[in-house]
Amino acid sequence: LHVIMENGLSKKVPVIYVTQELWAERKMNWKDMRSENGEELTRPFIAILRTSVKKGTTPNKFTIPNKKKFTFAKVPTFDGTLKGYDLYKIPQPTYVDLEFEVKFISHYMEDVDDFNEMMIDRAYSSGQGYMSVNGYYIATKMGDPSDESNIEDINTEKIYQVSVPVTVHGKIVDPTEFEKVNTIKKIS
């Protein structure tokens, strides 16, 4: 996301990943915020906060107890003369739902409108989106955005804040538990 600053120049909005404890501290001390490089952070910025991790919803209607290996993956191999594939038994993954809050903080309502357009129109136009993690596409769903702006008191600093809940539907698979099965290689 890029916004136009007061001087007319375009600025890339920084993204900050924070923990629960760090978020509570930073929310109280906006003026002293620093990036990982020690640079002072100015508004606007995006903060991503993980709120919970819970047992996920599996898309399949069946489960195999005790992580029994049942899925097979074929990995093609070629060593210059022999062509074939390796066959792996893979345990059933453990599904997890990760809850995040994506918070956008700015001085200007126009920046909030740009953020809403980016999230609702581009990133989650159908209410869901995909992100690539280690080459695998993981489904994410956006919840209803909420406005947490502080603009009631005219004597305080005007801060616009939008919070968007995002659920990431992931799965945990340990590659060390894969079991290689011997197969036949063909001469090519």
Side-chain angles (χ1 to χ4, degrees), residues 100-115:
F100 290 91
E101 276 189 47
V102 179
K103 294 186 178 273
F104 179 77
I105 295 97
S106 179
H107 284 297
Y108 302 106
M109 186 58 128
E110 184 178 336
D111 296 344
V112 172
D113 293 341
D114 290 343
F115 174 76

Side-chain angles (χ1 to χ4, degrees), residues 9-77:
L9 297 174
S10 176
K11 175 190 171 193
K12 184 177 180 183
V13 177
V15 177
I16 307 164
Y17 299 95
V18 292
T19 61
Q20 286 288 118
E21 300 84 21
L22 191 56
W23 177 251
E25 178 186 333
R26 286 187 170 179
K27 196 171 183 182
M28 302 304 276
N29 303 305
W30 289 122
K31 295 182 186 338
D32 299 325
M33 287 189 62
R34 304 248 175 239
S35 70
E36 290 82 17
N37 302 331
E39 301 165 345
E40 183 180 346
L41 283 174
T42 59
R43 292 181 199 95
F45 62 88
I46 297 171
I48 298 179
L49 168 69
R50 187 175 73 190
T51 56
S52 73
V53 177
K54 56 188 174 185
K55 189 167 173 61
T57 51
T58 176
N60 301 329
K61 299 293 182 205
F62 56 88
T63 58
I64 309 261
N66 300 326
K67 299 181 135 223
K68 184 176 176 183
K69 295 169 179 61
F70 74 100
T71 303
F72 290 92
K74 291 182 182 180
V75 179
T77 60

Side-chain angles (χ1 to χ4, degrees), residues 43-173:
R43 292 181 199 95
F45 62 88
I46 297 171
I48 298 179
L49 168 69
R50 187 175 73 190
T51 56
S52 73
V53 177
K54 56 188 174 185
K55 189 167 173 61
T57 51
T58 176
N60 301 329
K61 299 293 182 205
F62 56 88
T63 58
I64 309 261
N66 300 326
K67 299 181 135 223
K68 184 176 176 183
K69 295 169 179 61
F70 74 100
T71 303
F72 290 92
K74 291 182 182 180
V75 179
T77 60
F78 181 66
D79 63 3
T81 55
L82 298 176
K83 188 177 186 181
Y85 61 89
D86 292 332
L87 190 64
Y88 290 91
K89 285 199 259 183
I90 301 172
Q92 176 176 325
T94 302
Y95 292 92
V96 293
D97 287 346
L98 304 161
E99 302 283 338
F100 290 91
E101 276 189 47
V102 179
K103 294 186 178 273
F104 179 77
I105 295 97
S106 179
H107 284 297
Y108 302 106
M109 186 58 128
E110 184 178 336
D111 296 344
V112 172
D113 293 341
D114 290 343
F115 174 76
N116 284 333
E117 180 183 344
M118 184 212 42
M119 288 297 286
I120 295 170
D121 186 41
R122 285 183 256 157
Y124 291 97
S125 60
S126 63
Q128 67 179 4
Y130 290 90
M131 56 194 246
S132 178
V133 177
N134 296 332
Y136 296 97
Y137 286 101
I138 305 295
T140 64
K141 290 188 180 176
M142 182 182 86
D144 294 330
S146 64
D147 186 4
E148 301 171 359
S149 301
N150 179 17
I151 55 174
E152 288 83 27
D153 188 6
I154 198 158
N155 295 326
T156 61
E157 185 178 18
K158 184 169 51 171
I159 299 172
Y160 294 101
Q161 180 173 319
V162 177
S163 179
V164 179
V166 174
T167 303
V168 177
H169 299 287
K171 53 187 168 184
I172 300 172
V173 178

